[in-house]
Amino acid sequence: MMPTLSPGYASVPAGMLANVVTCLEMREKPRPRAARPMEQPLTLTRMEEPDIAAYRALFRAVGQDWLWCSRLLMADDKLRDILESPEVEVYTLSGTHRKLGLLELDFRQKGECELAFFGLVPEAIGQGAGRFLMDEALRRAWAKPIERLWVHTCTLDHPAAVDFYRRSGFQPYQFMVELQPDPRLTGHLPREAAPHVPLADFKA
């Protein structure tokens, strides 16, 4: 059981980051949205046999600005077990010349799907690729016999993330506070990553 926080301020240990996590869900398939004209043709391709190095390279390209690090810290064998599970679907979003995004749907919990990872490389944000990717995520998730689709985001993520998820049909149902080591100080991400988040190398 997660501990309950008391009202007021609490010190964050040196080297750690604190962020507020918003958990969102939808309980029924949303109505289709009108397609937005795209600036370039987009394709979504499933990684049938994900290569760990290629997966991590895309994970880093998409998530470095938001301090995504969980799959960089995970042992290779554990990550391989997840990616090779028949109940986990990993997709690459590609444009004309390069990979633009990552989508990961996790069906391992019966009757549910977790939108485990969803994101674009920085230069693809704001051009309609996110809506395309979300529409595909919703279509593929609800094609399975699920009763619930859920996702979580946090204050380290893009500032428009919660609003985007809500406009897509998700509703918040829980808030949590997460503490984690700053991956820029552990060496898993470069120190210049996510300049909008102060480095946690001060003394708490």
Side-chain angles (χ1 to χ4, degrees):
M1 181 177 292
M2 292 182 293
T4 300
L5 296 176
S6 300
Y9 292 96
S11 294
V12 175
M16 303 289 285
L17 291 174
N19 67 92
V20 178
V21 177
T22 301
C23 302
L24 306 100
E25 65 179 1
M26 62 172 68
R27 295 280 181 168
E28 59 183 20
K29 183 179 180 179
R31 284 186 248 180
R33 298 168 59 101
R36 173 180 169 180
M38 302 302 301
E39 296 182 8
Q40 62 176 314
L42 299 175
T43 57
L44 193 64
T45 306
R46 185 170 179 181
M47 295 183 180
E48 296 291 348
E49 296 182 1
D51 174 83
I52 296 295
Y55 173 89
R56 282 201 175 117
L58 181 57
F59 182 91
R60 184 187 293 267
V62 169
Q64 180 168 289
D65 281 355
W66 319 115
L67 298 182
W68 287 14
C69 62
S70 59
R71 295 296 172 80
L72 305 179
L73 301 172
M74 190 176 290
D76 286 358
D77 56 348
K78 184 176 180 180
L79 178 56
R80 188 174 292 107
D81 286 345
I82 294 173
L83 299 182
E84 293 182 355
S85 168
E87 296 173 307
V88 175
E89 299 180 3
V90 181
Y91 296 91
T92 299
L93 178 68
S94 300
T96 305
H97 302 295
R98 61 166 298 187
K99 294 178 180 177
L100 300 176
L102 173 68
L103 170 65
E104 188 172 325
L105 301 173
D106 189 335
F107 296 94
R108 289 178 294 172
Q109 182 69 34
K110 185 177 180 180
E112 297 188 358
C113 175
E114 178 188 2
L115 185 59
F117 290 100
F118 175 96
L120 304 173
V121 297
E123 55 268 34
I125 294 174
Q127 301 178 25
R131 175 51 52 199
F132 174 89
L133 187 59
M134 177 58 74
D135 289 345
E136 286 296 311
L138 297 178
R139 184 177 68 82
R140 293 165 193 263
W142 287 104
K144 301 291 181 68
I146 63 170
E147 299 174 356
R148 176 176 180 256
L149 174 62
W150 67 278
V151 64
H152 70 262
T153 185
C154 69
T155 47
L156 296 179
D157 206 346
H158 192 286
V162 171
D163 182 60
F164 176 78
Y165 287 128
R166 295 189 70 170
R167 285 188 284 108
S168 300
F170 291 90
Q171 292 298 321
Y173 69 90
Q174 185 179 18
F175 298 111
M176 297 182 289
V177 175
E178 179 187 31
L179 284 179
Q180 65 181 53
D182 190 326
R184 298 166 297 181
L185 299 179
T186 62
H188 293 93
L189 289 176
R191 288 180 69 91
E192 62 271 16
H196 60 289
V197 180
L199 274 168
D201 58 353
F202 48 82
K203 293 187 181 295

